[in-house]
Amino acid sequence: MSRRAIILILFITVGLAWPVTAQQRTFVAVATGGTAGVYFPLGGALAEVWSAKVPGVQATAQTSGASVANIQLIARGDVAVAFVQNDIAYYAFHGIEMFMDRVSNKPQPVSNLRGVAMLYPEIIQVVTLKGKGIASIADLKDRRVAVGAPGSGTEVNARQILRLFGLGYYNIREDFLNFAEAADQLKDGVIDAAFITAGIPTAAIQDVAASRDLQLLPIPRDAVDELRAQYPYYTSVVVAANTYKGQERVAETAAVMAMLVTRQEMDERLIYDLTKALWDNVDRLQQAHARGKDISLTTSRRGMPITMHAGALRYYRERGIK
Ligand code: GLU
């Protein structure tokens, strides 16, 4: 074949193929949390599934400050999908709690926030080391406590739970640390305790347990009931003994739910395709973290605190999921 013919063929194939792929590529950014949490590995697996299974989609998971920060990323249109806690999604959608303007006292609802799927329970784990003379959350008075990364749902839970025990940032020494930082500083004795709201086992806590004797501080059932009277998304749970090395006793505590959210403006067909690919390949998420096993199509709408995205809703209706 002559050189001219080859160039001509190349020109035609490239010319035909190029505009098609260039036009069809859709970038889907997924906001997760810190690297030592559960959102991050699950988000990575989800992005892989979407890139592999939804034609034209190129998805990437990104780290973030977690729930509150993720809702702001969604509201601004900086990401397409995000992992968030259901309590925080509810506050955002209705413009209450931290989504209320402090100065004017007016709600600032994120009214374009839309639900895609309910995922798995996230456990509020208040971690300390044995031998510190701390047996209850009330003992955290005047102590140095990691309350979660700035913009995390963890930090919101820490504030609400501390208040229940008569504490606040005026009588503890709070540090806004992500899970990895909190684990390191707990091991090094820099902080006395850490709040961590995440699926269990949480890698950061396993890391502490590997070299220190840890204990989980209880949030007894009646305290959770009291909490729930004001904040309806808390539920009462028990962390089984030996979830972490050296944690011999069961611990009563509170939990919320992890969920996936998007924005109303996202294309209906795209969200339908992403929702379908998520559930068609849920085994991939199940392999990425122990909590993946809790993620199931049958419970995907249970306790959804906000309006669902039309694309996700169409998928669930087709599958008969209520
Ligand atoms: N639920 C946590 C938060 O919003 C993040 C959990 C995780 O990263 O797995 O603060």
Side-chain angles (χ1 to χ4, degrees):
M1 206 184 288
S2 77
R3 231 177 108 178
R4 267 180 77 176
I6 293 175
I7 291 173
L8 192 65
I9 288 167
L10 266 177
F11 187 74
I12 292 168
T13 23
V14 171
L16 284 178
W18 176 251
V20 177
T21 46
Q23 268 168 19
Q24 284 184 345
R25 184 138 292 201
T26 305
F27 290 96
V28 173
V30 183
T32 65
T35 51
V38 179
Y39 290 176
F40 185 69
L42 287 178
L46 192 57
E48 267 177 48
V49 163
W50 285 343
S51 297
K53 306 287 180 182
V54 186
V57 161
Q58 168 116 37
T60 45
Q62 61 187 55
T63 59
S64 76
S67 294
V68 181
N70 288 355
I71 284 176
Q72 280 149 0
L73 292 171
I74 289 276
R76 286 202 303 261
D78 290 347
V79 299
V81 179
F83 284 74
V84 298
Q85 296 177 197
N86 63 340
D87 52 340
I88 308 298
Y90 180 81
Y91 303 145
F93 194 67
H94 294 283
I96 55 175
E97 297 295 320
M98 69 292 313
F99 295 93
M100 175 111 138
D101 186 292
R102 294 239 161 140
V103 182
S104 65
N105 231 10
K106 283 215 182 81
Q108 304 267 284
V110 180
S111 33
N112 62 347
L113 190 65
R114 290 292 180 273
V116 174
M118 298 303 294
L119 299 176
Y120 60 90
E122 295 193 83
I123 315 301
I124 297 159
Q125 303 163 90
V126 192
V127 190
T128 185
L129 302 186
K130 287 178 188 155
K132 276 190 176 285
I134 300 173
S136 110
I137 291 179
D139 296 335
L140 295 179
K141 185 163 183 287
D142 298 327
R143 300 290 191 136
R144 240 177 124 158
V145 182
V147 293
S152 64
T154 303
E155 194 270 330
V156 176
N157 301 141
R159 249 185 299 133
Q160 293 172 346
I161 289 159
L162 286 167
R163 196 178 325 129
L164 191 69
F165 288 86
L167 301 176
Y169 294 168
Y170 57 93
N171 60 4
I172 66 152
R173 288 185 290 156
E174 76 281 11
D175 275 318
F176 298 93
L177 305 179
N178 66 34
F179 299 164
E181 293 163 338
D184 283 345
Q185 298 199 17
L186 201 54
K187 284 192 293 188
D188 294 346
V190 181
I191 57 167
D192 298 302
F195 278 80
I196 288 184
T197 304
I200 56 172
T202 314
I205 305 179
Q206 286 175 312
D207 177 39
V208 176
S211 60
R212 302 282 184 276
D213 287 332
L214 64 76
Q215 57 171 337
L216 297 178
L217 297 178
I219 309 175
R221 183 174 278 271
D222 53 350
V224 179
D225 287 345
E226 213 177 306
L227 202 57
R228 196 175 30 227
Q230 200 177 351
Y231 308 108
Y233 288 94
Y234 285 110
T235 56
S236 198
V237 290
V238 167
V239 180
N242 298 310
T243 298
Y244 298 103
K245 184 172 156 274
Q247 172 241 333
E248 301 97 0
R249 281 198 263 156
V250 298
E252 284 189 313
T253 189
V256 291
M257 287 291 288
M259 62 183 292
L260 276 184
V261 293
T262 186
R263 357 179 14 239
Q264 181 185 23
E265 296 81 356
M266 292 292 294
D267 182 61
E268 198 257 6
R269 179 64 205 254
L270 176 64
I271 297 299
Y272 173 91
D273 288 345
L274 297 181
T275 310
K276 181 174 186 310
L278 155 68
W279 294 114
D280 284 351
N281 300 280
V282 69
D283 57 321
R284 249 315 269 119
L285 301 194
Q286 288 165 349
Q287 287 154 18
H289 188 273
R291 284 288 65 77
K293 299 198 177 47
D294 296 336
I295 304 178
S296 118
L297 180 59
T298 39
T299 54
S300 57
R301 294 185 65 186
R302 204 167 293 164
M304 172 66 70
I306 60 171
T307 305
M308 291 199 67
H309 190 279
L313 195 59
R314 177 157 68 87
Y315 175 77
Y316 295 120
R317 285 203 174 128
E318 279 178 17
R319 298 293 307 265
I321 305 297
K322 298 221 173 64

